[in-house]
Amino acid sequence: MFYLFLQREGAEDILDFWLDVQQHENLCRAYFKDVRKSGRTIRDDWPEYWDYARRRGSIYGTVVGLNPHSGTKRSTASTTDVLSEHDRTNLAAAGLDEKAVRSPSPRLPSTSPGTAVATEPPRSTTPFSLSGRTPTLFNHRRASRAPTIIPRTSAISRQDLIASAERIYFRYLSPAGNTVGSNENHEIYLPPSLRIHSFPLNSSQEPKTVNDMSIMAQIPDMFHAQKEYCFRAMEQDAFPRFLRSKAFGNLTPVSALVRLILGLIILWIGLAVGFSLIFLDVHPKSKRFFLFIPFSIAILFLISHQYELDPILIFFMQSESTPFRTLRIREPYVKKLLIGRAVWVSLLVAAHFIHDVFTNCGWGL
């Protein structure tokens, strides 16, 4: 539902980037674990990376054996591993500290490196405007049709790591128009200190020169600082707005608009019938009594539009994810807030209902 919320704002690319980098890091972890399972050490298999990680630090320190005193338990979460010196410098320049980066982040999904992973390569108006596009009521098109899958039927090679990093760079970080192959460009905003201006390696060619091997050693940690910046941007801006939108209402903008239109139509029908009975001088109160039905339905729809909340759906513990498609509410905090607002909306509708009954029976004005 968070992805759908970002999609409606035209800001899903930032979450897609986070997911793709998370997958890239899982791919690197799987490669390192495959090397260790084969009986070799990272130092012997990839000396350039070992030297880079030993000098500048790496988020894979525990996996590759750089932290021998950490015990037998190895973490697979990137935020609990060692940040490199380069990452700390870039994050500090972007206004983030290491403590914030290391804090647990349970809201966004992480994946296990030993399994096949499928993600759709996930656009905002607010302090971080990621795409520059005007947000629409609901965007039906996703950024990518084809999911990205890590195959585990064969051993992962370093060329697979280069191909993964190359795809991420040309999809999210290269200037618009600089695409390779079938990659669509969905450039996201990053502060200058975190921007990557070029990707000198080619996944179709084996690195041969010393410079290429030195650049290749940076591939596993290449996007970690950018990933953490994007996570903090979502955590501080988009995610609180998402919680507010789901905790204070259970309707999508399209569904609320439909209720407004239906409410006005039904209200017009009720007024037309009511004035017709007045002008026709219909006296039996029993014929006027049932006019409260269209008025009550109209008031329910209009108030539902105003609060973007349908109390009937709330009492069935349902919330819309896309227009007219619902999911069950499971989060206790959201459930508590929605029930309270549903009771308030129900009281407003009941007050109008009682007023209509008294009016139509001739006891009111």
Side-chain angles (χ1 to χ4, degrees), residues 158-171:
R158 288 184 225 169
Q159 290 303 113
D160 295 328
L161 306 186
I162 296 177
S164 173
E166 184 180 52
R167 177 183 58 81
I168 291 173
Y169 172 77
F170 284 106
R171 179 172 292 172

Side-chain angles (χ1 to χ4, degrees), residues 138-166:
F138 189 78
N139 295 326
H140 296 281
R141 187 187 176 199
R142 291 179 182 266
S144 174
R145 301 287 182 181
T148 304
I149 299 174
I150 298 177
R152 299 297 289 130
T153 57
S154 60
I156 298 172
S157 67
R158 288 184 225 169
Q159 290 303 113
D160 295 328
L161 306 186
I162 296 177
S164 173
E166 184 180 52

Side-chain angles (χ1 to χ4, degrees), residues 47 71 81 90 106-107 109 125 128 169 193 207 243 248 251 277 352 355:
D81 287 324
N90 287 340
R107 297 189 183 100
T125 65
F128 71 104
Y169 172 77
S193 61
L243 284 182
F248 293 106
L251 299 178
L277 294 178
H352 284 281
H355 177 268

Side-chain angles (χ1 to χ4, degrees), residues 90 93-95 188-197 226 229:
N90 287 340
I188 63 172
Y189 169 79
L190 290 172
S193 61
L194 294 178
R195 293 175 187 169
I196 300 175
H197 300 285
Q226 291 80 358
Y229 172 82

Side-chain angles (χ1 to χ4, degrees), residues 30-304:
Y31 170 78
F32 293 137
K33 289 184 177 181
D34 285 349
V35 171
R36 299 187 70 175
K37 287 178 182 178
S38 68
R40 295 171 293 164
T41 64
I42 306 300
R43 185 173 187 175
D44 296 332
D45 179 78
W46 196 353
E48 294 84 6
Y49 171 75
W50 175 267
D51 183 62
Y52 171 85
R54 185 175 55 83
R55 288 185 297 103
R56 309 190 64 173
S58 172
I59 64 171
Y60 311 98
T62 303
V63 180
V64 302
L66 286 173
N67 301 330
H69 302 294
S70 59
T72 57
K73 183 178 179 182
R74 293 187 178 97
S75 172
T76 58
S78 63
T79 55
T80 60
D81 287 324
V82 179
L83 285 174
S84 70
E85 179 184 350
H86 186 257
D87 283 349
R88 287 195 292 266
T89 303
N90 287 340
L91 288 170
L96 299 174
D97 58 8
E98 182 180 353
K99 183 179 179 181
V101 170
R102 287 176 178 270
S103 63
S105 306
R107 297 189 183 100
L108 293 179
S110 62
T111 50
S112 172
T115 57
V117 181
T119 61
E120 289 196 2
R123 305 174 195 211
S124 145
T125 65
T126 53
F128 71 104
S129 182
L130 306 171
S131 61
R133 292 190 295 272
T134 302
T136 57
L137 211 56
F138 189 78
N139 295 326
H140 296 281
R141 187 187 176 199
R142 291 179 182 266
S144 174
R145 301 287 182 181
T148 304
I149 299 174
I150 298 177
R152 299 297 289 130
T153 57
S154 60
I156 298 172
S157 67
R158 288 184 225 169
Q159 290 303 113
D160 295 328
L161 306 186
I162 296 177
S164 173
E166 184 180 52
R167 177 183 58 81
I168 291 173
Y169 172 77
F170 284 106
R171 179 172 292 172
Y172 301 109
L173 304 180
S174 67
N178 296 345
T179 57
V180 172
S182 59
N183 281 329
E184 287 188 68
N185 183 278
H186 301 282
E187 184 183 4
I188 63 172
Y189 169 79
L190 290 172
S193 61
L194 294 178
R195 293 175 187 169
I196 300 175
H197 300 285
S198 64
F199 191 85
L201 300 179
N202 192 325
S203 59
S204 61
Q205 298 177 1
E206 189 79 26
K208 297 179 180 179
T209 66
V210 175
N211 184 54
D212 287 348
M213 297 299 293
S214 175
I215 295 174
M216 186 178 177
Q218 304 175 29
I219 289 294
D221 298 279
M222 179 171 285
F223 307 113
H224 185 70
Q226 291 80 358
K227 171 193 165 188
E228 294 300 330
Y229 172 82
C230 290
F231 184 91
R232 296 306 157 193
M234 289 188 290
E235 183 181 51
Q236 296 168 11
D237 180 59
F239 196 72
R241 288 187 291 108
F242 163 71
L243 284 182
R244 286 195 296 269
S245 70
K246 302 313 294 183
F248 293 106
N250 66 331
L251 299 178
T252 60
V254 172
S255 183
L257 182 61
V258 170
R259 281 169 170 78
L260 172 63
I261 296 173
L262 290 177
L264 293 175
I265 292 175
I266 296 174
L267 181 62
W268 179 83
I269 292 174
L271 290 173
V273 173
F275 280 116
S276 297
L277 294 178
I278 292 175
F279 293 140
L280 293 175
D281 198 21
V282 176
H283 289 288
K285 296 180 180 179
S286 59
K287 294 183 180 180
R288 297 165 50 188
F289 175 77
F290 293 101
L291 278 177
F292 79 87
I293 296 178
F295 284 115
S296 299
I297 295 175
I299 293 300
L300 173 62
F301 283 166
L302 293 176
I303 294 180
S304 295

